[in-house]
Amino acid sequence: MVRRKSEQCSPASRQAGAVFHGTSDTEIIACIVTRERLSTPSIEDALSAAIAGKRVVLVDDSIVRGTTSGRIVSLLREAGAQEVHLRVSAPPFLNPCYYGTDIDSQENLIACHHSVEEIAQIIGVDSLGYLPVEQLGALIGQAHYCGACFTGLYPTPVPVNTRKDRFEQKLSEKNAITPHQ
């Protein structure tokens, strides 16, 4: 829910809200705050009551492949959202990350193959906005940070073998190796 600056967001003025928290698959944790206790039979009913006919602004930390965002937007549309706008608190991921984020190739990055307008259409939002990469340093309060997944400027040499499964071993190969005695 978008509020004007003049409106205070006190517990008494909040109607309802939902927080989507993705751990493995997207789990929905509904945080319902109302003036009276809400007694609904299911989370879906609570979300529908809170969202139906409303303009929703969804804030996410990133869009990598676009699949999770698309599913969340679909849930909001099914719940009756009139409009869904997505704001992303990171720039578009344009490059693989070799330092901890699970992004191993450009083929899996939606922003490598589509414009912002196309991504908005693919995931089903009315508007989409990313944090401009130029604002990252000011946002985190320092000039030295790794933004390679956004800019392609890596602080170390890029590994030759970048496959995610390079450390995994097939069961058939594992059984063929005999331990030293």
Side-chain angles (χ1 to χ4, degrees):
M1 178 183 317
V2 179
R3 294 187 180 274
R4 290 189 204 101
K5 210 173 193 181
S6 62
E7 295 177 319
Q8 295 298 316
C9 194
S10 66
S13 69
R14 281 186 231 146
Q15 290 178 0
V19 176
F20 293 87
H21 180 274
T23 48
S24 53
D25 232 357
T26 303
E27 296 176 29
I28 302 173
I29 303 169
C31 301
I32 307 297
V33 182
T34 60
R35 292 180 194 166
E36 16 185 293
R37 189 173 185 106
L38 188 64
S39 57
T40 57
S42 70
I43 290 175
E44 290 82 10
D45 290 343
L47 288 175
S48 291
I51 292 170
K54 304 273 176 65
R55 293 172 45 201
V56 176
V57 177
L58 178 64
V59 179
D60 205 346
D61 63 341
S62 62
I63 299 176
V64 179
R65 293 170 190 85
T67 53
T68 302
S69 299
R71 286 194 305 258
I72 293 170
V73 171
S74 291
L75 288 172
L76 293 171
R77 296 277 188 201
E78 288 170 17
Q82 179 183 352
E83 295 177 14
V84 180
H85 303 273
L86 177 58
R87 298 299 176 260
V88 184
S89 63
F93 280 97
L94 298 171
N95 301 282
C97 177
Y98 307 109
Y99 309 110
T101 305
D102 188 17
I103 304 169
D104 67 335
S105 72
Q106 287 183 325
E107 73 185 49
N108 294 319
L109 301 173
I110 194 169
C112 283
H113 309 288
H114 301 283
S115 68
V116 174
E117 293 78 18
E118 290 170 336
I119 296 169
Q121 187 175 18
I122 289 167
I123 62 177
V125 292
D126 296 288
S127 70
L128 172 62
Y130 287 94
L131 176 72
V133 70
E134 302 80 25
Q135 293 182 4
L136 266 179
L139 180 68
I140 62 173
Q142 58 179 322
H144 303 290
Y145 61 91
C146 181
C149 52
F150 309 123
T151 65
L153 303 173
Y154 295 94
T156 61
V158 175
V160 176
N161 182 1
T162 61
R163 291 184 44 179
K164 287 171 53 171
D165 64 350
R166 67 185 176 273
F167 299 115
E168 296 175 8
Q169 188 177 36
K170 292 181 181 175
L171 220 45
S172 59
E173 293 170 359
K174 188 174 184 176
N175 291 336
I177 299 172
T178 56
H180 296 286
Q181 293 184 1

